Amino acid sequence: FIWLLRKPKTPRRPAPKKPSGNQKDPVGVYCRVRPLGVEDEECCIEVISNTTIQLHAPDGLKANRNGEFKETQYSFKKVFCIKTSQMELFQDVAKPLVDDLIHSKNGLLFTYGVTGSGKTFTMTGSPGQGGLLPRSLDMIFNSIGPYQAKRFVLKTDDKNGMEVQNQVDALLERQKRENQPTVVPKTPSRQRLDPEFADMINPEEACRADGVDEDSSYSVFVSYIEIYNNYIYDLLEEAPYDPIKPKPPQSKLLREDQNHNMYVAGCTEVEVKSTEEAFEVFWRGQKKRRIANTQLNRESSRSHSVFIIKLAQAPLDADGDNILQDKNQVSVSQLCLVDLAGSERTSRTRAEGNRLREAGNINQSLMTLRTCIEVLRENQMCGTNKMVPYRDSKVTHLFKNYFDGEGKVRMVVCVNPKADDYEETMLVMRFAEMTQEVEVARPVDRPICGFAAGRRQKNQAFKDELSRRLEERGGPVDAESTQSVMHQLLQNLPPLPASEITDPHDDVTLPRLIEVLEKRHKIRQMMTQEYNRAGKMVTQDLVSKENFIQDQRGQLGEKDKTLHSQKTEIDRLEKKSKMLEYKIEILQKTTNIYEDDKRTLQQELESREQRLQREQTEKRRMEQRMQGMVQDTKHKWEKECERRVCAKQLEMQNKLWVKDEKLKQLKAIVTESKTPSDQRPAPDKPQRPSRERDRVPGEVFKTRGGGQAVQFTDIETLRQELPTGSSRKRRSSEGNTAQGGDRMEGDWTDVETRCSMAVEMRAGSNLGPGYQHHGHQK
């Protein structure tokens, strides 16, 4: 093991090779068809083969457009029908990207489609049907699990780089993080029960990557952001909640690092050590994501979500024991899993207010992505060098490095086969067809360092051999303890007498020595017997205890079996309980959505009731006003009718007076014919009825100065004609009447004159032919 003691210099890391112009791959575009919501619903998509689908225009659309939309076919790298499982989709789409991530290559995977087409289900999944994201996490930790570095040994900096700490600094930081107080949750509401990773994927579906570098240590960092209204927000940012004055989340900015790669400045990156921990972090951010209820989707994503998995790979030193303390040797690769919000038409969703603004920003960002793809295709096919408008949207600006050749790009187009989404689906198909024509430079392998391979395995073999030899030796022997035990035993024996013999005839020393040795021998035998008896007792005690232990072990085994069965039952019940709680949470969420809708409808109903009350009040006010106007009009017409009745009465009185006058004239004429002219008395001048008594007076009211004013409600005009215009008639009448001219006064009207002449003509007809002829001439 002399090679383990050597500390060679760190070899220089070779510069990464730039991809050549001919090493390009087209963007991998896949299509997934979701099942219909209703079995008898009209379908507009037919899967022709595993790479081709065909669109059928709905019957109503054909009739309206006169057959403009015909059956069209679109080809993809692979088409997944409605019966495809989540595992099959992961094997074909995401597994190669995860394998490239472990081998220091970047990757981008995003789902695209109209709203309600199954993008979030494809990316996240549901309990029992885990999506691409949890399966990718599971594959990563299944592959690098034994080779993970300790927490905080690899640490991210603020400039999209990676730092290397020694074991002591990492330990201090771990202790510091453990002693930190927990941050108060941002929302004070009840914590929802998150689905566990064990409920998402079955253990039989676990997979791992091949060819993992064993001479490197790995650390996984995850971050979760959303792009809402073209602003970037950190979904993992922990901020204390202020119930008095809550602060809105702060948006993040995009920066460019020293390698010209785009990253989100100030974004939270969490180091995770297991699939369960990573999935828990993901779900913590998922609860902050913005979703809303629309006419087309009950849980519609109102933002683009980006889950970034960053894998740091650092080589081991020459000993194969610790990480090489050189940050330039650390390789960082990342996999971006993007769930794009669905494009939607406001005429179908009937969005208003914030929903309308969100839909506009979503459609604008997707249009920018389409424009960038069109410009890339034009530059590659026509040889032009137009500027790609990455900066027009945060989505395209963040991932511009992938389209420039920093990793593989794959897209899953999710479609809904129902006929209502035909036009939107056709636009999605055209975009997918155009995206397949864009080529991205193929990433190259990046070697870590020039150390010999197999360092970790050799170091582990050395540690195992050293442990084995120590176990064979049974540990070190303590010599001092052995000597103390022997000295204590020797002190329990009788002491030996002096054994020096100076006289050959000494008969005392040897017998005395023999006697002491015999006593010591007897004591030794007694001690041996005592030790043997104690040993037997200990052996019997040990045997009984071993038997008791065996019995206890048997009972313990039975109890273990019982506990295992009970634990299995408890696990099953806990999983069932978690599943039910998850369903309850979904139902509670649906109930909250319906309650929000109910509250909105109640507010709308209250506003309409208030409007109705205002209209009724206005109606009552209008009715009162109309009643006043009717009363005023009625009063006015009553006065008008009274005036007209009075005028009619006056007219009838005038007619009666005229008739009386005519009768008097006729009587006078008849009397005149019988009485001589010199005996006739002078007739009295007739008196017409006065109009002053029939005139309707005006209304009298008081003025501000204290006086009185008259407001006339009617004006009557009396027209009187002078006798100049009818002088001829009057002279003729005077000649015929022979002394009756003094009764024809100038203040008579034409109507009265004509009436008088008519009476005279009738009277003349009774006087004879001469007078009748004269009246005819008149």
Side-chain angles (χ1 to χ4, degrees):
F1 302 106
I2 299 177
W3 63 275
L4 292 173
L5 302 176
R6 297 176 182 175
K7 297 287 185 180
K9 295 182 179 180
T10 302
R12 182 173 297 177
R13 182 177 182 179
K17 298 180 180 179
K18 294 183 178 181
S20 58
N22 55 357
Q23 294 179 345
K24 290 185 177 182
D25 295 324
V27 176
V29 181
Y30 301 83
C31 179
R32 187 180 193 183
V33 183
R34 65 161 291 175
L36 287 171
V38 183
E39 294 182 358
D40 56 351
E41 191 175 4
E42 185 179 1
C43 180
C44 65
I45 293 179
E46 180 183 359
V47 180
I48 303 299
S49 64
N50 59 350
T51 58
T52 308
I53 65 172
Q54 183 172 340
L55 263 67
H56 304 278
D59 296 335
L61 191 61
K62 286 182 178 178
N64 294 334
R65 301 296 181 91
N66 298 322
E68 178 181 353
F69 293 101
K70 298 180 181 180
E71 296 179 353
T72 53
Q73 293 185 359
Y74 297 93
S75 298
F76 298 90
K77 191 170 184 178
K78 191 169 183 179
V79 176
F80 302 96
C81 61
I82 59 177
K83 296 182 180 180
T84 303
S85 63
Q86 297 277 61
M87 184 63 186
E88 295 176 2
L89 181 68
F90 172 77
Q91 290 284 349
D92 293 329
V93 179
K95 186 177 179 180
L97 295 179
V98 177
D99 191 74
D100 289 343
L101 175 71
I102 296 175
H103 292 87
S104 303
K105 297 179 183 178
N106 299 327
L108 171 63
L109 173 62
F110 61 94
T111 56
Y112 183 84
V114 300
T115 180
S117 58
K119 301 181 297 299
T120 304
F121 176 78
T122 300
M123 185 61 67
T124 306
S126 62
Q129 296 180 352
L132 300 179
L133 190 147
R135 294 181 186 275
S136 300
L137 292 173
D138 185 52
M139 179 177 175
I140 291 172
F141 286 101
N142 289 339
S143 303
I144 67 170
Y147 314 118
Q148 290 192 70
K150 292 183 178 181
R151 200 180 295 269
F152 302 123
V153 172
L154 296 175
K155 183 180 177 182
T156 59
D157 57 11
D158 297 334
K159 298 180 180 180
N160 202 30
M162 197 68 60
E163 296 178 353
V164 183
Q165 295 189 129
N166 55 34
Q167 297 291 339
V168 177
D169 294 338
L171 179 60
L172 292 176
E173 188 164 356
R174 284 197 297 270
Q175 294 176 353
K176 181 181 178 181
R177 294 293 180 90
E178 291 175 357
N179 295 329
Q180 282 182 352
T182 57
V183 180
V184 179
K186 188 173 183 180
T187 56
S189 60
R190 180 180 62 87
Q191 295 293 328
R192 60 176 295 181
L193 182 64
D194 302 337
E196 293 186 356
F197 180 78
D199 300 330
M200 302 293 289
I201 302 176
N202 296 326
E204 294 80 9
E205 298 177 352
C207 56
R208 64 182 64 225
D210 298 330
V212 180
D213 186 9
E214 299 180 358
D215 296 325
S216 299
S217 291
Y218 301 87
S219 292
V220 180
F221 301 86
V222 295
S223 57
Y224 198 15
I225 63 173
E226 72 169 352
I227 302 176
Y228 176 73
N229 287 338
N230 208 27
Y231 289 96
I232 300 177
Y233 297 97
D234 185 5
L235 295 178
L236 301 181
E237 185 177 14
E238 294 290 348
Y241 178 74
D242 188 0
I244 299 176
K245 189 177 180 181
K247 296 181 180 180
Q250 297 294 326
S251 60
K252 304 297 181 180
L253 299 177
L254 286 178
R255 301 292 186 190
E256 192 175 35
D257 61 6
Q258 60 182 359
N259 296 324
H260 305 289
N261 295 323
M262 303 305 302
Y263 70 98
V264 181
C267 180
T268 303
E269 292 182 333
V270 182
E271 184 178 5
V272 290
K273 293 299 179 184
S274 64
T275 309
E276 291 77 12
E277 183 182 0
F279 190 72
E280 181 182 356
V281 172
F282 161 74
W283 202 257
R284 188 177 68 199
Q286 184 73 3
K287 291 187 292 185
K288 297 181 182 180
R289 189 181 176 190
R290 292 174 172 87
I291 59 175
N293 183 15
T294 63
Q295 294 289 336
L296 300 181
N297 192 356
R298 188 178 62 184
E299 296 183 4
S300 176
S301 301
R302 312 311 296 169
S303 62
H304 309 296
S305 66
V306 183
F307 189 77
I308 303 174
I309 305 173
K310 185 178 292 186
L311 181 64
Q313 180 178 358
L316 298 178
D317 54 12
D319 297 338
D321 193 12
N322 298 318
I323 294 177
L324 191 65
Q325 298 293 317
D326 185 4
K327 67 178 183 179
N328 295 325
Q329 296 293 328
V330 179
S331 175
V332 180
S333 57
Q334 66 180 13
L335 173 63
C336 296
L337 303 176
V338 186
D339 182 13
L340 295 177
S343 59
E344 58 185 33
R345 292 188 177 182
T346 55
S347 59
R348 295 185 59 196
T349 58
R350 300 177 184 176
E352 297 178 355
N354 292 333
R355 302 288 90 81
L356 182 61
R357 180 187 175 191
E358 293 166 356
N361 286 294
I362 291 171
N363 294 334
Q364 181 64 33
S365 60
L366 295 178
M367 183 62 67
T368 304
L369 177 62
R370 181 187 182 94
T371 303
C372 294
I373 295 296
E374 288 179 353
V375 175
L376 283 172
R377 186 187 64 167
E378 184 178 355
N379 290 340
Q380 292 176 2
M381 298 181 66
C382 303
T384 57
N385 193 18
K386 292 184 178 180
M387 185 183 68
V388 183
Y390 290 121
R391 293 179 177 268
D392 292 350
S393 174
K394 292 292 192 299
V395 177
T396 54
H397 193 195
L398 179 61
F399 302 122
K400 78 180 190 68
N401 303 104
Y402 291 93
F403 293 101
D404 291 341
E406 288 295 331
K408 287 185 179 180
V409 180
R410 293 195 173 185
M411 179 175 69
V412 179
V413 177
C414 300
V415 294
N416 194 340
K418 67 178 182 179
D420 295 338
D421 293 345
Y422 173 75
E423 295 184 357
E424 291 88 343
T425 302
M426 186 172 59
L427 296 176
V428 170
M429 292 300 170
R430 292 176 180 174
F431 172 71
E433 189 176 32
M434 177 182 60
T435 305
Q436 292 183 100
E437 299 177 359
V438 176
E439 293 182 347
V440 179
R442 184 183 303 173
V444 297
D445 296 332
R446 292 181 288 183
I448 301 300
C449 63
F451 284 133
R455 301 185 301 279
R456 183 192 293 269
Q457 187 176 1
K458 292 179 181 179
N459 183 42
Q460 187 65 32
F462 169 73
K463 291 181 179 180
D464 294 342
E465 182 66 20
L466 182 61
S467 300
R468 186 182 64 80
R469 291 187 178 183
L470 290 175
E471 290 178 358
E472 288 180 354
R473 290 179 59 184
V477 179
D478 191 0
E480 294 181 358
S481 61
T482 304
Q483 291 179 0
S484 62
V485 172
M486 294 297 297
H487 180 69
Q488 186 176 3
L489 289 175
L490 290 175
Q491 285 182 353
N492 293 330
L493 297 175
L496 293 175
S499 58
E500 184 177 358
I501 300 175
T502 59
D503 188 5
H505 301 284
D506 189 1
D507 296 333
V508 179
T509 303
L510 289 178
R512 188 187 302 168
L513 180 62
I514 292 171
E515 183 180 1
V516 171
L517 290 176
E518 286 178 354
K519 289 181 179 180
R520 291 173 67 94
H521 180 67
K522 288 180 181 180
I523 293 172
R524 182 178 179 183
Q525 287 181 350
M526 290 175 62
M527 291 177 63
T528 304
Q529 292 176 0
E530 186 68 24
Y531 279 122
N532 290 334
R533 186 168 55 254
K536 289 180 181 179
M537 292 177 63
V538 170
T539 303
Q540 292 177 0
D541 190 13
L542 289 176
V543 170
S544 62
K545 288 183 178 180
E546 286 181 357
N547 294 332
F548 178 75
I549 290 173
Q550 292 293 335
D551 296 338
Q552 293 296 325
R553 285 179 179 176
Q555 295 179 5
L556 184 61
E558 294 178 357
K559 291 183 178 181
D560 287 340
K561 292 180 181 179
T562 306
L563 288 176
H564 181 70
S565 61
Q566 292 178 355
K567 185 178 180 180
T568 304
E569 183 68 17
I570 290 173
D571 293 340
R572 186 184 66 81
L573 293 176
E574 285 181 351
K575 288 184 179 180
K576 185 177 180 181
S577 176
K578 290 177 182 178
M579 182 68 67
L580 293 176
E581 288 177 354
Y582 180 71
K583 291 181 179 179
I584 290 172
E585 189 66 27
I586 294 176
L587 294 176
Q588 184 67 30
K589 191 174 183 181
T590 307
T591 305
N592 293 335
I593 294 174
Y594 285 144
E595 286 180 355
D596 293 339
D597 294 342
K598 179 182 177 181
R599 194 159 40 250
T600 304
L601 293 175
Q602 285 179 351
Q603 293 177 358
E604 185 178 357
L605 181 60
E606 290 176 357
S607 62
R608 291 189 178 182
E609 287 179 353
Q610 293 176 0
R611 191 186 310 164
L612 181 59
Q613 290 178 359
R614 289 196 298 269
E615 291 178 355
Q616 289 178 353
T617 305
E618 187 69 24
K619 182 179 179 182
R620 286 194 295 270
R621 191 181 298 112
M622 185 65 70
E623 287 179 354
Q624 293 177 359
R625 191 183 305 167
M626 292 302 295
Q627 288 178 0
M629 294 176 64
V630 168
Q631 292 294 335
D632 294 341
T633 307
K634 182 180 179 182
H635 184 64
K636 181 179 178 181
W637 279 105
E638 285 179 354
K639 291 183 178 181
E640 179 70 19
C641 291
E642 185 178 356
R643 186 189 63 79
R644 290 186 181 182
V645 168
C646 292
K648 198 68 176 178
Q649 288 178 356
L650 182 61
E651 183 180 356
M652 295 303 296
Q653 289 178 1
N654 289 333
K655 288 183 179 180
L656 290 174
W657 181 80
V658 171
K659 288 183 180 180
D660 291 341
E661 290 298 322
K662 290 179 181 179
L663 289 175
K664 289 179 181 179
Q665 291 176 7
L666 183 58
K667 185 177 180 180
I669 292 171
V670 173
T671 306
E672 184 182 359
S673 61
K674 294 181 180 181
T675 307
S677 59
D678 54 354
Q679 298 179 359
R680 297 176 187 173
D684 298 331
K685 185 176 181 180
Q687 297 294 330
R688 296 184 63 181
S690 177
R691 293 172 181 255
E692 295 296 332
R693 62 185 180 185
D694 300 328
R695 186 170 300 170
V696 180
E699 296 181 1
V700 180
F701 60 91
K702 294 183 180 180
T703 62
R704 294 183 180 179
Q708 293 182 350
V710 180
Q711 181 179 2
F712 293 97
T713 59
D714 192 10
I715 299 176
E716 181 179 2
T717 303
L718 299 178
R719 185 164 171 260
Q720 183 178 4
E721 295 183 0
L722 296 176
T724 56
S726 58
S727 60
R728 180 180 176 184
K729 297 180 181 180
R730 187 166 300 176
R731 287 194 299 268
S732 301
S733 176
E734 292 175 353
N736 292 329
T737 55
Q739 300 180 0
D742 52 351
R743 69 171 178 258
M744 301 295 290
E745 299 294 334
D747 54 350
W748 288 13
T749 60
D750 287 343
V751 177
E752 295 168 351
T753 306
R754 286 196 295 272
C755 291
S756 300
M757 291 173 58
V759 172
E760 293 175 357
M761 289 174 60
R762 294 192 189 96
S765 62
N766 296 328
L767 295 178
Y771 190 83
Q772 183 178 5
H773 180 72
H774 183 71
H776 180 71
Q777 290 179 355
K778 292 291 184 180

PDB file of all heavy atoms in Angstrom, residues 122 186 199 303 364 437 439 472 534 588 602 651 695:
ATOM      1  N   THR A 122     -48.202  14.802 -17.324  1.00  0.00           N
ATOM      2  CA  THR A 122     -47.043  14.169 -17.941  1.00  0.00           C
ATOM      3  C   THR A 122     -45.765  14.473 -17.165  1.00  0.00           C
ATOM      4  O   THR A 122     -44.921  13.604 -16.977  1.00  0.00           O
ATOM      5  CB  THR A 122     -46.905  14.635 -19.398  1.00  0.00           C
ATOM      6  OG1 THR A 122     -48.081  14.268 -20.123  1.00  0.00           O
ATOM      7  CG2 THR A 122     -45.689  14.024 -20.060  1.00  0.00           C
ATOM      8  N   LYS A 186     -44.449  30.834   5.130  1.00  0.00           N
ATOM      9  CA  LYS A 186     -44.921  32.071   4.509  1.00  0.00           C
ATOM     10  C   LYS A 186     -46.424  32.226   4.609  1.00  0.00           C
ATOM     11  O   LYS A 186     -46.951  33.319   4.748  1.00  0.00           O
ATOM     12  CB  LYS A 186     -44.485  32.106   3.038  1.00  0.00           C
ATOM     13  CG  LYS A 186     -44.754  33.439   2.367  1.00  0.00           C
ATOM     14  CD  LYS A 186     -44.160  33.469   0.983  1.00  0.00           C
ATOM     15  CE  LYS A 186     -44.361  34.807   0.332  1.00  0.00           C
ATOM     16  NZ  LYS A 186     -43.804  34.882  -1.014  1.00  0.00           N
ATOM     17  N   ASP A 199     -45.611   6.736  -2.785  1.00  0.00           N
ATOM     18  CA  ASP A 199     -46.920   6.559  -3.406  1.00  0.00           C
ATOM     19  C   ASP A 199     -46.903   6.857  -4.895  1.00  0.00           C
ATOM     20  O   ASP A 199     -47.887   6.589  -5.592  1.00  0.00           O
ATOM     21  CB  ASP A 199     -47.942   7.476  -2.724  1.00  0.00           C
ATOM     22  CG  ASP A 199     -48.065   7.173  -1.247  1.00  0.00           C
ATOM     23  OD1 ASP A 199     -47.853   6.007  -0.877  1.00  0.00           O
ATOM     24  OD2 ASP A 199     -48.359   8.107  -0.473  1.00  0.00           O
ATOM     25  N   SER A 303     -48.603  29.974 -15.093  1.00  0.00           N
ATOM     26  CA  SER A 303     -47.205  30.357 -15.226  1.00  0.00           C
ATOM     27  C   SER A 303     -46.423  29.172 -15.778  1.00  0.00           C
ATOM     28  O   SER A 303     -46.878  28.037 -15.738  1.00  0.00           O
ATOM     29  CB  SER A 303     -46.621  30.786 -13.865  1.00  0.00           C
ATOM     30  OG  SER A 303     -46.661  29.695 -12.958  1.00  0.00           O
ATOM     31  N   GLN A 364     -48.016  35.399 -25.373  1.00  0.00           N
ATOM     32  CA  GLN A 364     -46.905  36.190 -25.898  1.00  0.00           C
ATOM     33  C   GLN A 364     -45.582  35.453 -25.749  1.00  0.00           C
ATOM     34  O   GLN A 364     -44.747  35.440 -26.671  1.00  0.00           O
ATOM     35  CB  GLN A 364     -46.852  37.542 -25.168  1.00  0.00           C
ATOM     36  CG  GLN A 364     -45.748  38.459 -25.658  1.00  0.00           C
ATOM     37  CD  GLN A 364     -45.932  38.864 -27.108  1.00  0.00           C
ATOM     38  OE1 GLN A 364     -47.055  39.009 -27.572  1.00  0.00           O
ATOM     39  NE2 GLN A 364     -44.834  39.029 -27.828  1.00  0.00           N
ATOM     40  N   GLU A 437     -37.203  20.483 -37.314  1.00  0.00           N
ATOM     41  CA  GLU A 437     -36.222  20.821 -38.339  1.00  0.00           C
ATOM     42  C   GLU A 437     -35.038  21.604 -37.789  1.00  0.00           C
ATOM     43  O   GLU A 437     -34.090  21.886 -38.515  1.00  0.00           O
ATOM     44  CB  GLU A 437     -36.906  21.634 -39.443  1.00  0.00           C
ATOM     45  CG  GLU A 437     -38.033  20.867 -40.139  1.00  0.00           C
ATOM     46  CD  GLU A 437     -38.736  21.716 -41.177  1.00  0.00           C
ATOM     47  OE1 GLU A 437     -38.346  22.897 -41.313  1.00  0.00           O
ATOM     48  OE2 GLU A 437     -39.673  21.219 -41.830  1.00  0.00           O
ATOM     49  N   GLU A 439     -31.710  21.954 -35.618  1.00  0.00           N
ATOM     50  CA  GLU A 439     -30.641  21.081 -35.163  1.00  0.00           C
ATOM     51  C   GLU A 439     -29.841  21.781 -34.070  1.00  0.00           C
ATOM     52  O   GLU A 439     -29.587  22.984 -34.140  1.00  0.00           O
ATOM     53  CB  GLU A 439     -29.715  20.700 -36.321  1.00  0.00           C
ATOM     54  CG  GLU A 439     -30.401  19.823 -37.369  1.00  0.00           C
ATOM     55  CD  GLU A 439     -29.453  19.414 -38.466  1.00  0.00           C
ATOM     56  OE1 GLU A 439     -28.350  20.017 -38.535  1.00  0.00           O
ATOM     57  OE2 GLU A 439     -29.794  18.509 -39.245  1.00  0.00           O
ATOM     58  N   GLU A 472      -8.962 -10.715  13.623  1.00  0.00           N
ATOM     59  CA  GLU A 472      -8.275 -11.991  13.860  1.00  0.00           C
ATOM     60  C   GLU A 472      -7.402 -11.928  15.107  1.00  0.00           C
ATOM     61  O   GLU A 472      -7.317 -12.895  15.868  1.00  0.00           O
ATOM     62  CB  GLU A 472      -7.425 -12.352  12.649  1.00  0.00           C
ATOM     63  CG  GLU A 472      -8.252 -12.775  11.443  1.00  0.00           C
ATOM     64  CD  GLU A 472      -7.356 -13.124  10.267  1.00  0.00           C
ATOM     65  OE1 GLU A 472      -6.125 -12.912  10.383  1.00  0.00           O
ATOM     66  OE2 GLU A 472      -7.892 -13.581   9.234  1.00  0.00           O
ATOM     67  N   ALA A 534     -16.645 -24.166  41.131  1.00  0.00           N
ATOM     68  CA  ALA A 534     -17.197 -22.869  40.708  1.00  0.00           C
ATOM     69  C   ALA A 534     -17.375 -22.823  39.196  1.00  0.00           C
ATOM     70  O   ALA A 534     -18.368 -22.287  38.676  1.00  0.00           O
ATOM     71  CB  ALA A 534     -16.289 -21.745  41.174  1.00  0.00           C
ATOM     72  N   GLN A 588     -60.953  18.936  -1.207  1.00  0.00           N
ATOM     73  CA  GLN A 588     -61.008  20.207  -0.498  1.00  0.00           C
ATOM     74  C   GLN A 588     -60.604  21.354  -1.405  1.00  0.00           C
ATOM     75  O   GLN A 588     -61.205  22.435  -1.369  1.00  0.00           O
ATOM     76  CB  GLN A 588     -60.065  20.146   0.716  1.00  0.00           C
ATOM     77  CG  GLN A 588     -60.106  21.389   1.593  1.00  0.00           C
ATOM     78  CD  GLN A 588     -61.418  21.554   2.291  1.00  0.00           C
ATOM     79  OE1 GLN A 588     -62.081  20.577   2.587  1.00  0.00           O
ATOM     80  NE2 GLN A 588     -61.811  22.791   2.530  1.00  0.00           N
ATOM     81  N   GLN A 602     -72.252  34.930  -5.726  1.00  0.00           N
ATOM     82  CA  GLN A 602     -73.036  35.643  -4.723  1.00  0.00           C
ATOM     83  C   GLN A 602     -72.775  37.142  -4.780  1.00  0.00           C
ATOM     84  O   GLN A 602     -73.705  37.945  -4.677  1.00  0.00           O
ATOM     85  CB  GLN A 602     -72.706  35.100  -3.332  1.00  0.00           C
ATOM     86  CG  GLN A 602     -73.319  33.733  -3.043  1.00  0.00           C
ATOM     87  CD  GLN A 602     -72.946  33.228  -1.661  1.00  0.00           C
ATOM     88  OE1 GLN A 602     -72.108  33.820  -0.993  1.00  0.00           O
ATOM     89  NE2 GLN A 602     -73.568  32.133  -1.239  1.00  0.00           N
ATOM     90  N   GLU A 651    -120.962  80.523 -27.085  1.00  0.00           N
ATOM     91  CA  GLU A 651    -121.315  80.439 -28.519  1.00  0.00           C
ATOM     92  C   GLU A 651    -122.773  80.074 -28.701  1.00  0.00           C
ATOM     93  O   GLU A 651    -123.488  80.639 -29.553  1.00  0.00           O
ATOM     94  CB  GLU A 651    -120.410  79.407 -29.189  1.00  0.00           C
ATOM     95  CG  GLU A 651    -120.645  79.293 -30.693  1.00  0.00           C
ATOM     96  CD  GLU A 651    -119.737  78.255 -31.320  1.00  0.00           C
ATOM     97  OE1 GLU A 651    -118.884  77.685 -30.584  1.00  0.00           O
ATOM     98  OE2 GLU A 651    -119.875  78.016 -32.530  1.00  0.00           O
ATOM     99  N   ARG A 695    -115.301  84.646 -18.657  1.00  0.00           N
ATOM    100  CA  ARG A 695    -113.856  84.559 -18.866  1.00  0.00           C
ATOM    101  C   ARG A 695    -113.208  83.874 -17.661  1.00  0.00           C
ATOM    102  O   ARG A 695    -113.498  84.213 -16.524  1.00  0.00           O
ATOM    103  CB  ARG A 695    -113.289  85.942 -19.052  1.00  0.00           C
ATOM    104  CG  ARG A 695    -111.805  85.971 -19.417  1.00  0.00           C
ATOM    105  CD  ARG A 695    -111.372  87.335 -19.808  1.00  0.00           C
ATOM    106  NE  ARG A 695    -112.135  87.788 -20.965  1.00  0.00           N
ATOM    107  CZ  ARG A 695    -112.097  89.038 -21.420  1.00  0.00           C
ATOM    108  NH1 ARG A 695    -111.371  89.954 -20.800  1.00  0.00           N
ATOM    109  NH2 ARG A 695    -112.799  89.393 -22.471  1.00  0.00           N
TER     110      ARG A 695
END
